[in-house]
Amino acid sequence: PIITSQTHPDPTRWYADNSPQLDLLTQPTAINARQYSYVLDREPGTIPDTIPDVGIRNDRLIFVGLGDAAWWMHVRAYDELGYWTDASHFAIKIDSTPPPVVSNLRWVTSPPSLPPLAGEGGQAPTSEIALEWRPVDDTSGIIPYHVQIAVNSRDFQSNLLIDETVDGKVTRYTFTGVPGATYYARVKAENGANLLSRSWSSVTPEYTLNKPPAYDVNRDEVVD
């Protein structure tokens, strides 16, 4: 049998819909007359028995409320001459549960960089700031994390400075800050079925980059 699905057409992709519909096609076509034997499990090569199952009607099988997992559908068909076909196999990946809320956000910083030399413009010195968080476990994995950083206010609408995504295998985001500015951050996870955490993480405590003293001319923390 050829197994297809209108609800879960791509066997390599994760879906949030936990009620897949499977359609079967055999040659010659024998709608309502074809008998099948099937197994639904989590193994790729299972062979169904030779006892017809009544769950498949009109060459279609519908499951309702499958659990989150990588499932495999295995089907054999029985013809009018009494022969059973070889088995066909079809993967169904389901993850209907949003990923957990991201937790344990913390700031990691490095010392301020040196200012430009005389004649190079006199811009304010900058520092590299890193935001880290605890990895999130999810059935379909975390594909991206969404990172938002606000400056000088906890308002992530009018004071939003950064709104980006990072690879789901990474739990660190680095950006360049300006001494004297105060930063706040929050993170949200998105899984392989494109479901987002139910809410953003808790907003980090504020982090303010200290300005070097005016008399520390070359910003090396030494008065010389």
Side-chain angles (χ1 to χ4, degrees), residues 2 14 20 30 75 83 87 116 125 170 184 193-194 207:
I2 298 173
W14 288 90
V75 180
Y83 296 104
V170 177
Y184 304 84
N194 302 121
Y207 183 82

Side-chain angles (χ1 to χ4, degrees), residues 2 20-21 23 40 47 60-61 67 70 101 108 111 121 132-133 143 149 152 158 166 185-186 191 196 209 216 218:
I2 298 173
Q21 172 183 300
D23 295 300
L40 179 70
I47 305 299
R60 175 171 292 175
L61 183 63
V101 175
V108 182
E132 294 182 344
W133 57 91
I143 304 305
I149 297 174
N152 297 330
S158 59
V166 298
R186 62 184 185 178
N191 67 15
L196 293 167
L209 282 174
D216 181 6
N218 60 356

Side-chain angles (χ1 to χ4, degrees), residues 138-160:
D138 187 86
T139 301
S140 58
I142 302 301
I143 304 305
Y145 287 101
H146 298 266
V147 178
Q148 288 189 344
I149 297 174
V151 61
N152 297 330
S153 170
R154 294 170 64 93
D155 183 355
F156 286 86
Q157 300 299 322
S158 59
N159 292 80
L160 185 63

